Amino acid sequence: MGSIGVFDSGLGGLSVLRTLRKALPCESFIYLGDGERCPYGERSKEEVLRFTKEAVDRLLAEGCKLIVLACNTATAVAIKQLREEYPDIPFVGLEPAVKPAALSTKSGVIGVLATKRSLEGDHFRTTSEQYADRVRIVTAVGEGFVEAVENNEERQPATEALVRKVVEPMVAAGADKIVLGCTHYPFLREVIERVVGEGVEVIDSSEAVARRVASLLDTFNIRADREAKQSCRYLSFAGEEYVEKLKMKDR
Ligand code: DGL
């Protein structure tokens, strides 16, 4: 039985991989972090689509049985087309967790942090419209967040300043739920939680994604053997040095 392929523009999808590995201890994984062309968030749709397809082809060449686009940006741009092109492969995408936030907010205001490309996607627009009558959704691009994570600068004061600049206005607008709509952002969870303070919940999508993957493994009858031991390989378009970076970040 093949592995589960997990793809992101860079290191961010490791936040999803971590949850998947815990939830599915018998499954093996191949993580592909582009690295070469990260960040994707400000790139054109055409570029994001082309890079995502390259990545998916690579993971399929490795024999992956299911693909997780652990990248909200790639999901927003490419998942529909990929499902059409590869009807036999189950794909799971990442979307901002607007629904759980909208259903649990008490203040009626939720903040959504994501990349520009994700916030402009059709899917995000449709989901937001669905909840527009009951909640106000305040959106913002996490300017500089992806770069900070890629450069291992999560604990730098300059990174906290970036987070404050983007997140404080959401709290000031009354948000009591902050949705992390980019898989790099959970690496900044500690600083985001410090900035928002108690009473504001920070939500990401990785648990929901793990549940979805588990359910698709059953639907397609492709679960690994119950005795199987988990393994994980790392790939990148940016060469060996970046692969080492992925391994370090995943510790
Ligand atoms: N981690 C990605 C996401 O979830 C992409 C970030 C980027 O490359 O801009 O959107």
Side-chain angles (χ1 to χ4, degrees):
M1 199 65 76
S3 302
I4 295 176
V6 181
F7 164 66
D8 181 47
S9 62
L11 305 168
L14 294 171
S15 65
V16 181
L17 180 69
R18 197 176 290 168
T19 309
L20 290 170
R21 289 184 72 176
K22 263 195 222 137
L24 301 162
C26 303
E27 296 295 333
S28 286
F29 296 87
I30 300 179
Y31 183 90
L32 171 54
D34 180 333
E36 182 72 16
R37 294 151 313 184
C38 181
Y40 282 8
E42 305 276 325
R43 290 183 179 275
S44 69
K45 276 189 192 171
E46 292 70 25
E47 277 181 311
V48 175
L49 181 61
R50 180 155 51 85
F51 301 159
T52 306
K53 274 192 180 173
E54 272 174 42
V56 166
D57 284 339
R58 177 70 199 275
L59 289 169
L60 292 177
E62 297 285 338
C64 288
K65 59 183 177 182
L66 180 151
I67 308 259
V68 180
L69 297 183
C71 177
N72 295 70
T73 309
T75 303
V77 172
I79 201 159
K80 194 163 168 269
Q81 198 156 326
L82 288 166
R83 284 184 174 136
E84 280 165 15
E85 268 177 49
Y86 303 99
D88 299 333
I89 301 291
F91 285 94
V92 177
L94 260 283
E95 280 154 21
V98 171
K99 184 177 172 185
L103 295 180
S104 63
T105 175
K106 293 204 171 60
S107 67
V109 183
I110 67 171
V112 178
L113 291 167
T115 67
K116 179 169 175 278
R117 185 61 52 224
S118 295
L119 292 174
E120 284 173 4
D122 290 342
H123 195 273
F124 179 68
R125 219 193 33 242
T126 330
T127 314
S128 306
E129 280 165 9
Q130 226 175 307
Y131 296 97
D133 56 336
R134 65 167 92 188
V135 290
R136 186 171 150 227
I137 302 179
V138 184
T139 63
V141 173
E143 294 289 356
F145 288 17
V146 171
E147 291 84 346
V149 173
E150 289 289 319
N151 297 328
N152 290 322
E153 290 168 356
E154 289 93 330
R155 289 166 192 271
Q156 304 272 326
T159 303
E160 177 161 339
L162 287 175
V163 169
R164 280 195 184 282
K165 197 169 163 214
V166 178
V167 176
E168 277 180 347
M170 290 183 160
V171 179
D176 64 347
K177 308 282 168 189
I178 304 284
V179 175
L180 305 183
C182 167
T183 54
H184 279 74
Y185 300 174
F187 283 101
L188 298 168
R189 181 182 269 274
E190 212 179 287
V191 49
I192 294 172
E193 284 181 339
R194 192 162 61 237
V195 167
V196 298
E198 277 173 32
V200 179
E201 191 190 1
V202 178
I203 302 175
D204 72 58
S205 311
S206 59
E207 299 285 347
V209 164
R211 285 194 296 274
R212 179 74 187 139
V213 170
S215 130
L216 282 177
L217 290 174
D218 290 333
T219 308
F220 282 73
N221 200 16
I222 49 173
R223 260 196 197 263
D225 198 274
R226 275 210 262 160
E227 308 294 309
K229 209 169 150 269
Q230 186 175 85
S231 70
C232 187
R233 279 172 59 213
Y234 302 84
L235 303 173
S236 169
F237 293 132
E240 263 320 295
E241 218 175 292
Y242 198 81
V243 170
E244 287 311 311
K245 213 169 146 179
L246 289 169
K247 287 183 189 164
M248 289 290 290
K249 194 83 168 180
D250 203 27
R251 280 208 185 128

